[in-house]
Amino acid sequence: MSIYMHFRQEEHEFIDQVLEWKETVNEQYAPKLTDFLDPREQEIVQSIIGSNEDVKVRLFGGAEGAERKRAFLYPSYYSPSLDDFQLKAYEISYPEKFVQIEHRQILGSLMGIGLKRSKFGDIHFHDKKVQLVIGEEVSSYVELQLQEVGRVKVSLQDIPLSELVSPEAVWEEASTTAASLRLDVMLASIYNLSRQKAQLLIGAKKVKVNWKVVEQSSFECREGDILSARGFGRSKLLTIDGKTKKDKWRVIVGKQK
């Protein structure tokens, strides 16, 4: 039975990459460290490597509840340590008495210096502290280049990984019904929007499913999908519970608090 059957068409390319990593570790008998993966990619890696006898996998993103993590694939004889993940943590210092910086501004500034999203992990906010996890291989470049966020001067302080504060995601459950599992219909039901408003958000590339921008309103949602719409937060389709007498889908949704 084909491994691809369990995954969406658009995930096949990533699956090929994971199979290639696995093959390389197997053949060269040497470990392989990936860039940062989003939770859906982590899930795919774990399901493909799974309970393989020869190749094992560990995931780590710097802190216990990290969302983005690097995967470390290794031969069964190898005993991995946290150093193998090659992570560096920083605290971003800025004049917080006078100005507030936001997640999207830090994201924009990192991408603005030419950094790919896969080269850095979570951006943590705790009280007024802002913390950042990046791959060791780009750390000296980031230290040199990241001098402003928005228009605010910033500086980076090296901190040990043990000082990272990663808040656990809390999901508030609610049930809803939807006429179909199309993305525009699901967004309208979950966030109490008109279907037209949902379609506008999708068309403006403001909607992600499993951390990837989706531009088709007709995209079919599945159980376990994480949806996010800019300005409306994140939600998860916890269970799709069959249909009501009026032929609507009964869905249990978790909304991130």
Side-chain angles (χ1 to χ4, degrees):
M1 190 170 69
S2 167
I3 195 166
Y4 300 101
M5 278 177 58
H6 306 291
F7 301 97
R8 288 191 169 108
Q9 178 69 43
E10 58 270 23
E11 294 173 330
H12 292 185
E13 200 179 319
F14 181 69
I15 291 161
D16 290 339
Q17 193 170 30
V18 178
L19 291 169
E20 208 175 291
W21 294 337
K22 183 179 166 185
E23 197 58 35
T24 306
V25 173
N26 225 341
E27 284 177 3
Q28 298 180 2
Y29 227 53
K32 157 81 187 161
L33 178 65
T34 74
D35 282 343
F36 287 91
L37 307 175
D38 65 43
R40 177 59 185 157
E41 291 168 333
Q42 294 164 35
E43 222 176 272
I44 292 171
V45 170
Q46 283 182 306
S47 69
I48 290 172
I49 307 299
S51 53
N52 192 287
E53 289 304 304
D54 304 317
V55 180
K56 307 283 181 195
V57 64
R58 267 182 75 180
L59 298 161
F60 185 56
E64 199 51 56
E67 185 174 274
R68 289 180 176 267
K69 299 175 185 176
R70 296 186 102 164
F72 187 70
L73 284 72
Y74 57 96
S76 52
Y77 75 86
Y78 192 90
S79 184
S81 74
L82 294 188
D83 290 344
D84 286 316
F85 289 91
Q86 296 173 30
L87 299 175
K88 284 204 83 168
Y90 295 94
E91 201 154 284
I92 300 178
S93 293
Y94 66 101
E96 78 267 358
K97 280 198 179 94
F98 309 105
V99 70
Q100 203 57 51
I101 58 177
E102 294 175 14
H103 188 283
R104 63 184 175 82
Q105 292 173 311
I106 298 170
L107 203 59
S109 300
L110 287 165
M111 310 281 265
I113 60 169
L115 210 60
K116 285 187 177 154
R117 185 60 189 97
S118 57
K119 287 295 179 189
F120 58 99
D122 291 357
I123 299 163
H124 304 276
F125 283 79
H126 180 66
D127 294 334
K128 291 205 168 178
K129 279 185 184 172
V130 183
Q131 299 173 331
L132 173 64
V133 183
I134 62 176
E136 218 169 66
E137 67 279 12
V138 294
S139 58
S140 48
Y141 175 77
V142 174
E143 285 171 23
L144 202 63
Q145 296 289 332
L146 189 68
Q147 295 174 0
E148 278 189 343
V149 169
R151 294 202 175 136
V152 182
K153 289 263 180 275
V154 299
S155 61
L156 295 180
Q157 262 77 47
D158 220 320
I159 59 168
L161 293 177
S162 57
E163 283 184 28
L164 286 170
V165 182
S166 180
E168 275 293 337
V170 180
W171 299 95
E172 200 173 70
E173 284 190 29
S175 61
T176 185
T177 57
S180 84
L181 298 176
R182 281 172 54 111
L183 182 56
D184 55 350
V185 177
M186 292 307 302
L187 285 178
S189 297
I190 294 167
Y191 297 111
N192 208 8
L193 306 169
S194 71
R195 196 161 155 193
Q196 189 183 12
K197 170 76 173 165
Q199 288 170 351
L200 286 171
L201 287 168
I202 295 165
K205 300 186 181 181
K206 291 182 176 177
V207 174
K208 291 182 180 179
V209 180
N210 298 329
W211 293 270
K212 303 282 185 289
V213 172
V214 173
E215 294 178 68
Q216 299 82 33
S217 293
S218 59
F219 180 92
E220 183 143 326
C221 298
R222 294 181 182 179
E223 196 167 275
D225 281 348
I226 305 266
L227 314 183
S228 64
R230 202 180 306 162
F232 293 90
R234 195 183 275 179
S235 57
K236 183 174 186 174
L237 305 186
L238 298 171
T239 53
I240 295 173
D241 249 350
K243 290 193 165 184
T244 66
K245 284 178 183 168
K246 291 185 176 173
D247 208 34
K248 286 192 167 189
W249 290 97
R250 200 182 288 110
V251 185
I252 307 285
V253 177
K255 282 192 185 176
Q256 201 163 349
K257 291 170 83 176

